[in-house]
Amino acid sequence: STTLNKNFRHLEPSFDNASMVHSLIASYDLHKKMTCISPKQANQHDLRTFHSESYISHLKSADDSTIANAESDLDSDDDDLPEDSAEYGLGFDCPKIKDLQSFVKIIAGGTISAAKLLTSQTYDTVINWCGGWHHAQRDEASGFCYVNDVVLGITELKKKFERVLYIDLDVHHGDGVENAFSFTPTVLTYSVHHLSQGYFPGTGAISSIGCGKGKGFCVNIPLKEGASNGTFVSVFKRTMPRVITNFRPSVVVIQCGADGLAGDPLGAVFNLTDTAYKECLQIVLELKLPTMILGGGGYNKANTARCWTNLTALVTGQKLDVDIPEHDFFEEYGPDFQLRIEAGYRPDKNSKDYIDALVLEVLGNLEEVDVNTTQV
């Protein structure tokens, strides 16, 4: 296995979360069980494989505006963005940030580099915890995501692999990735998420199954509030085997957004611990297929680092001490300084009848998926 993206420290505070994750992984010496690689930044050509020319140009103009304001000692806020920035999703949940161009190229470059390691058969499992920015659209930033590294990585994988299975465990629906591949039968997108009125991004209904030749190749499993480990893992175990049987993927990309963890301040609706993520990832690893593992959401920084460190240990076959070793971010894990994540005290509103009906409908939708008869 290999882990990517050591090129984030000069972009603080945008990569505070990544710094904590990588530091905790290193504190357990897990980096010594992997090959750690500094990937190349993506270039303009790489970005154009999904994003529009006008969007890429606008990101540059927004970055130039920020630099100009900084050099003239002006306050830098969203009012200083180019006039048409709102059309490209900049502002509000995607505010302008320092070094936006470098930020986008590093995020994209990490996942593209990971994909190339799989296509070259150099490694069979790759991890990029800095990746997983699944909301960005072709010509629009969205949901804190300025670039869709997932789509760019999958596009690279398609150069080698016939069928790509994309699994999204983030509490928010992976709308940007689904939209990118909703018309193709060569990429199956599978998302377990929360869906309710007013909850971002407002997509991912069970009835959204793809379009045209891609009909049936989008699988959406919307869960209600309070989803527990048992609920989450149950729907995964009851539907994933049919996905594998019908689709027969050549490679897997799994996004492990940690905002479904109990106590996440932004996700704020699920009641998961790292156990749910570990059980789902274990099922994927047992497929023995080339696999790319990505990060994503996660706004309780300490719990996100705990979760992704535990997943890294799973991939590398290591058992970790529950007491967190002293390291640069040690104080962030108080007051108990333990690696475990505890579930909260909230009801799981996903009744057995609801889950049974959900699974039955998903399995029915998957009848549309038959790679033996689908013309690619």
Side-chain angles (χ1 to χ4, degrees), residues 115-365:
K116 288 180 177 180
L117 291 172
L118 291 181
T119 59
S120 66
Q121 299 181 311
T122 307
Y123 296 92
D124 54 15
T125 306
V126 293
I127 304 172
N128 180 23
W129 293 128
C130 297
W133 299 63
H134 59 170
H135 293 307
Q137 306 292 333
R138 181 175 182 270
D139 52 7
E140 183 182 7
S142 177
F144 308 142
C145 302
Y146 301 84
V147 64
N148 202 313
D149 67 290
V150 185
V151 173
L152 297 175
I154 290 174
T155 300
E156 184 66 32
L157 290 173
K158 289 178 69 179
K159 295 177 181 179
K160 168 72 175 181
F161 299 103
E162 185 177 358
R163 291 183 292 275
V164 182
L165 170 60
Y166 172 67
I167 299 171
D168 195 310
L169 304 183
D170 197 289
V171 73
H172 301 97
H173 175 236
D175 58 333
V177 184
E178 179 178 304
N179 290 341
F181 299 112
S182 61
F183 284 86
T184 176
T186 60
V187 179
L188 189 148
T189 60
Y190 174 105
S191 180
V192 187
H193 52 269
H194 178 64
L195 176 63
S196 62
Q197 186 173 3
Y199 194 81
F200 183 85
T203 54
I206 193 171
S207 57
S208 179
I209 62 171
C211 307
K213 290 184 179 180
K215 185 179 179 182
F217 291 80
C218 295
V219 178
N220 284 299
I221 305 179
L223 299 180
K224 297 181 180 181
E225 293 183 13
S228 63
N229 287 347
T231 293
F232 196 90
V233 175
S234 173
V235 296
F236 193 87
K237 286 183 174 180
R238 294 170 67 182
T239 56
M240 185 51 62
R242 185 71 63 84
V243 170
I244 300 302
T245 299
N246 288 25
F247 184 58
R248 301 209 314 268
S250 314
V251 62
V252 180
V253 178
I254 180 168
Q255 195 261 26
C256 301
D259 42 10
L261 292 172
D264 188 274
L266 188 61
V269 290
F270 283 178
N271 194 25
L272 306 178
T273 73
D274 57 296
T275 298
Y277 292 87
K278 286 192 291 186
E279 290 195 34
C280 293
L281 180 57
Q282 181 63 47
I283 291 170
V284 170
L285 295 175
E286 288 174 356
L287 298 174
K288 303 296 185 184
L289 293 171
T291 301
M292 180 193 300
I293 304 167
L294 302 174
Y299 306 96
N300 179 320
K301 295 179 181 179
N303 276 352
T304 299
R306 287 181 172 105
C307 180
W308 292 348
T309 298
N310 276 315
L311 295 184
T312 305
L314 174 65
V315 173
T316 56
Q318 304 301 303
K319 184 174 178 59
L320 303 181
D321 194 313
V322 71
D323 294 319
I324 291 175
E326 290 194 27
H327 64 291
D328 289 346
F329 294 92
F330 182 71
E331 295 300 322
E332 299 290 332
Y333 299 95
D336 62 354
F337 305 99
Q338 301 281 292
L339 189 62
R340 70 171 68 93
I341 300 170
E342 301 289 349
Y345 297 96
R346 66 182 305 167
D348 187 340
K349 296 185 179 180
N350 297 276
S351 67
K352 182 181 183 300
D353 287 345
Y354 175 74
I355 294 300
D356 287 346
L358 196 67
V359 169
L360 187 62
E361 186 168 351
V362 168
L363 295 179
N365 291 340

